[in-house]
Amino acid sequence: MKLSMASSPHNHSQKNLSRLMLTVIAACIPGIIAQCYFFGFGVIVQLMLALITASLSEAFMLSVRKRPVWPALSDGSAWLTAVLLAISIPPLAPWWIVVIGTVFAIVMVKQLYGGLGFNLFNPAMAAYVLLLVSFPVQMTSWTPVSSLLAQPLNLMDQASLIFFEYSANHTDLIGALTSVDGTTMATPLDTVKTAVSQNLTVDEAMMGKQFSAYAGIGWMWVNLAFLVGGLFLLKTKVINWHIPVAMLATLAFCSAIGFILAPGSHAGSLFHLLSGATMLGAFFIATDPVSASTTNRGRLIYGACIGLLVYLIRNYGGYPDAVAFAVLIMNMAVPLIDHYTQPRTYGHGAAK
């Protein structure tokens, strides 16, 4: 009998690869619904653009590589990459942002490395970092929570802003992003980081209308929705518990220590856990079976290091959210982690 060796992802679930990818996409639905509720239906437009672009990019590269198109496309990995990227960018970002990012993720990060199982980096996060570094204005212009908008935005307004950067009710994108207090909105993480750099306390920064008692309005519920989806993935054994638990526990621990030592300049654990892409990163991004660690001890180390890096970059780095950077840095360390955390070979060290 010939032994066939295959590349990652290796998964012991009884579901096939396509079913696994579709299950992860389905688990994103609670978070997507929460994003639409608080930030508008521009999220759906970005999703459609990303899915179409990912399908065309994947099909083109497979044709160039003379590989069968449908078997690879139907495994759902390109669609999952598109979903993760689309829900990570601002809902009203210009259409070309998500198109450039999706093409880069599929063509450069995935297919040029050899396709699924050979990519060193998480494609969605590599594309996100490319967009953030290349187009910082567009990538940091987040829509305020719908209840704080100076004027409501319907689906047609949002589609017009995405494709043309103006609509009938708003002359430009900046006008659409203006809140009831007459200022454009930053994310809660960015607001707190900027306030601390101006010698304000965290409590003073969180006195704005965009904050609840624990985190940013909208962002808290979006994170809780992705937590629900993540628990579903754990329940169905699509992912292992090691990475999300290690990441969230480390982030909570570090932020608690920082808050105890310097409460004026460091936010507490709940703020960090319920802000930015924390839950999305812990359950849907860091657990990528291709670019993440594959041993149980390695997963704990990998997840803990991501949590530590997220805390350090959020507090001392140049970007308010840090999940993408932390994941990519640890992607590079995965071969080393796996090398030193391989389980003991059965019978090794037994008495002779």
Side-chain angles (χ1 to χ4, degrees):
M1 182 181 296
K2 183 179 179 181
L3 179 63
S4 177
M5 300 297 292
S7 63
S8 57
H10 306 295
N11 199 300
H12 295 292
S13 172
Q14 297 302 311
K15 300 177 181 178
N16 59 32
L17 179 60
S18 177
R19 186 74 61 84
L20 285 170
M21 296 296 175
L22 293 177
T23 300
V24 177
I25 293 175
C28 291
I29 291 176
I32 293 172
I33 293 174
Q35 281 190 320
C36 290
Y37 179 81
F38 287 103
F39 302 108
F41 288 98
V43 177
I44 302 300
V45 178
Q46 302 288 359
L47 280 169
M48 293 300 102
L49 285 170
L51 288 169
I52 293 171
T53 305
S55 299
L56 294 176
S57 301
E58 184 98 329
F60 172 75
M61 288 302 296
L62 290 169
S63 299
V64 170
R65 298 177 59 204
K66 302 186 184 307
R67 301 291 179 87
V69 174
W70 180 245
L73 186 60
S74 63
D75 66 19
S77 60
W79 300 332
L80 178 58
T81 295
V83 170
L84 293 178
L85 178 61
I87 61 181
S88 298
I89 67 175
L92 296 185
W95 64 271
W96 46 267
I97 287 285
V98 71
V99 169
I100 292 174
T102 306
V103 170
F104 179 80
I106 300 300
V107 175
M108 303 298 294
V109 186
K110 181 184 178 184
Q111 287 297 330
L112 289 187
Y113 273 87
L116 180 65
F118 296 96
N119 48 285
L120 174 63
F121 299 103
N122 182 292
M125 292 301 96
Y128 177 87
V129 168
L130 169 79
L131 294 173
L132 184 61
V133 173
S134 302
F135 312 105
V137 174
Q138 290 82 0
M139 288 294 291
T140 54
S141 299
W142 275 89
T143 312
V145 176
S146 299
S147 61
L148 297 178
L149 283 173
Q151 295 183 27
L153 292 171
N154 58 37
L155 179 58
M156 291 303 298
D157 287 330
Q158 294 178 60
S160 296
L161 288 165
I162 291 170
F163 289 105
F164 307 110
E165 298 189 41
Y166 68 88
S167 69
N169 296 327
H170 301 85
T171 56
D172 55 22
L173 184 60
I174 299 300
L177 296 179
T178 302
S179 66
V180 292
D181 60 4
T183 60
T184 55
M185 298 284 289
T187 64
L189 284 168
D190 193 19
T191 300
V192 170
K193 189 177 185 68
T194 302
V196 170
S197 68
Q198 296 173 347
N199 296 321
L200 298 176
T201 66
V202 172
D203 288 338
E204 290 172 335
M206 294 181 64
M207 292 176 63
K209 296 178 180 179
Q210 68 269 37
F211 289 96
S212 66
Y214 306 107
I217 296 175
W219 291 93
M220 177 178 69
W221 293 106
V222 169
N223 272 277
L224 290 175
F226 280 117
L227 173 61
V228 171
L231 293 177
F232 169 75
L233 294 179
L234 289 176
K235 176 68 175 178
T236 55
K237 300 187 185 303
V238 172
I239 62 174
N240 295 290
W241 62 268
H242 305 77
I243 292 175
V245 169
M247 174 183 164
L248 296 177
T250 303
L251 178 58
F253 175 78
C254 292
S255 53
I257 295 298
F259 180 75
I260 292 172
L261 295 178
S265 58
H266 291 74
S269 297
L270 279 178
F271 176 80
H272 281 283
L273 292 176
L274 299 177
S275 296
T278 300
M279 295 300 171
L280 176 65
F283 291 98
F284 295 89
I285 295 172
T287 55
D288 174 28
V290 176
S291 56
S293 181
T294 57
T295 67
N296 286 339
R297 283 191 301 158
R299 290 179 180 127
L300 291 172
I301 296 170
Y302 175 80
C305 289
I306 290 176
L308 176 62
L309 286 171
V310 167
Y311 175 76
L312 291 176
I313 297 173
R314 281 182 177 180
N315 283 279
Y316 307 107
Y319 294 93
D321 201 358
V323 171
F325 291 98
V327 168
L328 292 181
I329 291 171
M330 291 312 301
N331 284 165
M332 292 187 288
V334 163
L336 183 66
I337 294 174
D338 283 351
H339 177 76
Y340 286 104
T341 58
Q342 290 295 323
R344 183 186 297 273
T345 304
Y346 180 75
H348 180 77
K352 297 182 179 180

